[in-house]
């Protein structure tokens, strides 16, 4: 009797989601610094460089004041940001074309001072997950000083200098035409979500026909960088004042 053996080979589709073994989520390894108004990329990649297209990519804030601090969620091959923190609406995105290479970095557009903090990049496949921490520091470089003045009844003039949107808090000084710091009123300070606003008044005699400079300086020890902005007023013999601003 002749026996025949029939072999059937069945090819089963292999899901890229199931085929992903252990991986590591790698962050930048250092604190990220940005200036308010800039765009910022929070680097995050998979090692080895496997595709993240079929995975869940979740970016969220740590130690945030809301119960669900979602910054960006990619799941089932698309962004799903219905529960995103309101202040991030329309400002977050992934590098969609580079997900296949394991790039799960987050692009944050037009950063705000409130964006400063710790972020977690959490990646999950069907069989494995990992995360990494990214710390972000946002600096506010404020506005050019705004000068105003008013005449006093006792033959004096009040010069007022004000500048806002700074972080960290700057110093503010009045200087004479030779660059010497003058004895002005104590500075006033206000802090809100837009940063620090500083204001300072200098009182002079009406016959002081000289140049006066308001200088606002910020020293950020976190990155060892100093920024200075100045505004100048020229007091003439006649009541016609000249203002100049330099950044």
């Amino acid at each position: 009797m002749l026996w025949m053996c029939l072999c059937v080979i069945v090819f089963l589709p292999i899901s890229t989601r199931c085929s992903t073994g252990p991986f590591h989520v790698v962050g930048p390894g250092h604190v990220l610094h940005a200036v308010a108004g800039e765009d910022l990329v929070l680097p995050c990649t998979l090692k080895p460089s496997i595709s993240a297209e079929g995975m869940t990519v979740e970016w969220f804030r740590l130690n945030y004041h809301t119960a669900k601090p979602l910054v960006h969620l990619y799941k089932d091959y698309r962004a799903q940001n219905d529960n995103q923190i309101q202040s991030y609406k329309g400002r977050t995105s992934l590098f969609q074309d580079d997900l296949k290479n394991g790039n799960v970095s987050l692009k944050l557009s037009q950063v705000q001072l409130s964006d400063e903090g710790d972020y977690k990049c959490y990646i999950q496949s069907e069989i494995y997950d990992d995360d990494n921490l990214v710390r972000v520091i946002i600096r506010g470089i404020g506005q050019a000083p705004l000068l105003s003045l008013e005449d006093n009844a006792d033959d004096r003039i009040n010069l007022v200098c004000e500048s806002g949107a700074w972080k960290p808090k700057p110093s503010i000084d009045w200087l004479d035409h030779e660059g010497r710091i003058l004895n002005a009123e104590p500075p006033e300070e206000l802090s809100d979500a837009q940063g620090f606003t500083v204001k300072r008044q200098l009182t002079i005699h009406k016959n002081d026909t000289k140049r006066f400079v308001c200088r606002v300086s910020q020293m950020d020890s976190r990155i060892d960088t100093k920024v200075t902005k100045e505004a100048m007023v020229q007091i003439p013999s006649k009541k016609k004042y000249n203002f100049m601003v330099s950044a």
Side-chain angles (χ1 to χ4, degrees), residues 2-25:
L2 181 62
W3 292 89
M4 297 182 64
C5 179
L6 178 62
C7 295
V8 178
I9 300 176
V10 179
F11 293 92
L12 296 176
I14 300 176
S15 168
T16 57
R17 297 176 68 176
C18 294
S19 64
T20 54
F23 56 82
H24 294 288
V25 177

Side-chain angles (χ1 to χ4, degrees), residues 60-76:
F60 58 93
R61 290 283 298 268
L62 297 179
N63 305 317
Y64 199 70
H65 58 269
T66 61
K68 296 180 179 180
L70 178 66
V71 176
H72 190 92
L73 176 61
Y74 169 88
K75 187 176 182 180
D76 297 329

Side-chain angles (χ1 to χ4, degrees), residues 2-231:
L2 181 62
W3 292 89
M4 297 182 64
C5 179
L6 178 62
C7 295
V8 178
I9 300 176
V10 179
F11 293 92
L12 296 176
I14 300 176
S15 168
T16 57
R17 297 176 68 176
C18 294
S19 64
T20 54
F23 56 82
H24 294 288
V25 177
V26 180
H30 57 83
V31 177
L32 303 180
H33 294 267
V35 174
E38 296 179 342
D39 294 345
L40 177 66
V41 175
L42 282 60
C44 193
T45 56
L46 300 183
K47 296 297 180 183
S49 300
I50 56 178
S51 175
E53 289 180 306
M55 300 185 188
T56 296
V57 179
E58 183 175 4
W59 281 89
F60 58 93
R61 290 283 298 268
L62 297 179
N63 305 317
Y64 199 70
H65 58 269
T66 61
K68 296 180 179 180
L70 178 66
V71 176
H72 190 92
L73 176 61
Y74 169 88
K75 187 176 182 180
D76 297 329
Y77 299 90
R78 63 185 181 91
Q80 301 187 34
N81 288 322
D82 292 342
N83 296 319
Q84 186 181 40
I85 299 172
Q86 185 63 36
S87 63
Y88 289 94
K89 293 290 186 182
R91 297 196 298 119
T92 63
S93 61
L94 301 181
F95 295 88
Q96 200 80 21
D97 294 337
D98 212 20
L99 286 171
K100 61 180 179 295
N101 299 318
N103 182 5
V104 289
S105 302
L106 178 74
K107 181 179 180 182
L108 186 55
S109 301
Q110 292 289 304
V111 294
Q112 304 171 2
L113 294 179
S114 60
D115 293 339
E116 180 171 301
D118 294 334
Y119 293 74
K120 181 167 283 189
C121 173
Y122 173 75
I123 313 299
Q124 182 183 39
S125 70
E126 289 186 345
I127 60 174
Y128 198 77
D129 67 279
D130 194 23
D131 60 62
N132 207 305
L133 180 69
V134 180
R135 176 161 292 176
V136 174
I137 291 179
I138 308 298
R139 183 182 189 186
I141 297 180
Q143 305 155 349
L146 177 64
L147 301 182
S148 60
L149 54 84
E150 61 181 20
D151 289 343
N152 278 342
D154 57 353
D155 211 35
R156 291 173 179 265
I157 299 174
N158 292 334
L159 303 178
V160 180
C161 178
E162 183 173 353
S163 181
W166 293 90
K167 184 180 180 180
K169 181 177 65 178
S171 61
I172 181 170
D173 291 297
W174 277 101
L175 296 83
D176 65 13
H177 64 287
E178 295 180 349
R180 296 172 298 197
I181 296 179
L182 298 171
N183 186 22
E185 297 293 325
E188 301 176 32
E189 301 168 0
L190 174 66
S191 177
D192 56 23
Q194 306 304 317
F196 288 94
T197 297
V198 290
K199 182 178 180 180
R200 197 164 192 180
Q201 176 179 299
L202 174 68
T203 301
I204 63 172
H205 291 282
K206 290 183 179 179
N207 59 359
D208 287 337
T209 58
K210 297 184 178 70
R211 184 176 68 247
F212 297 91
V213 175
C214 174
R215 176 180 296 165
V216 182
S217 300
Q218 179 197 67
M219 181 64 194
D220 193 340
S221 60
R222 301 171 299 183
I223 54 177
D224 194 26
T225 300
K226 185 175 183 178
V227 174
T228 298
K229 294 193 175 185
E230 296 181 345

